[in-house]
Amino acid sequence: MAIRNILVKGDEMLTKKCRVVTKFDKRLHILLDDMRQTLAEAGGAGLAAPQVGVLRRVVVLMDINKDPEEVIELINPEVIDMNELVSTPEGCLSVPGEWGYVDRPTWAKVRAQDRNGEWFEREGEGVVAQCFCHETEHLDGHLFTEKVTEFFDPEELEQEK
């Protein structure tokens, strides 16, 4: 396993649409393992393959609602259901230092494949639902900053608590 470099806003790779994964082989497994380690090292909630320079529909994210936390691997994911949208604070490993409010669901369901190509569905609430949406948008070449309704300074958020 290896920690990969996370691309940042301004890198053209982050604006490209990713290709569907069709080969579920050792190369994919290495990518998934590297992404897991990279996410853990960065301390983020989710990571999409284009953020590490790979234009494939691959995501890893943390299910913080599980005890202990669980890493979810999503290959070729699509959000298939969600509930009402609420304004939620959001950031991104590829957009360091920028934070904003984005309208996200409080619950969502994704359909995806696992590392062996088997299809499954997974539901998530709160941050997990938010990650399902945020990370799948990366796969289509979009950053959360495109959806921000208002940018804020994280210190302001802390003062409100």
Side-chain angles (χ1 to χ4, degrees), residues 14 27 38 47 50-51 69 85 111 122 128 135 149 152:
L14 295 171
R27 191 169 171 191
T38 303
L47 186 67
Q51 291 180 272
E69 291 181 354
L85 302 178
R111 181 173 190 267
R122 178 93 181 227
V128 177
E135 300 306 333
T149 57
F152 67 88

Side-chain angles (χ1 to χ4, degrees), residues 56-126:
R56 294 285 184 267
R57 299 188 76 79
V58 176
V59 167
V60 295
L61 60 92
M62 298 300 302
D63 187 339
I64 63 166
N65 299 328
K66 299 283 185 189
D67 188 20
E69 291 181 354
E70 177 184 345
V71 178
I72 304 170
E73 297 177 345
L74 303 171
I75 317 300
N76 301 321
E78 59 179 311
V79 177
I80 58 172
D81 198 9
M82 68 176 77
N83 66 356
E84 76 280 350
L85 302 178
V86 297
S87 184
T88 308
E90 194 164 297
C92 179
L93 294 172
S94 289
V95 190
E98 287 189 46
W99 298 85
Y101 290 99
V102 179
D103 292 334
R104 296 287 189 202
T106 58
W107 170 89
K109 182 191 281 189
V110 293
R111 181 173 190 267
Q113 290 170 280
D114 65 18
R115 65 172 47 217
N116 300 311
E118 297 298 317
W119 286 98
F120 68 96
E121 292 181 0
R122 178 93 181 227
E123 296 179 29
E125 294 182 342

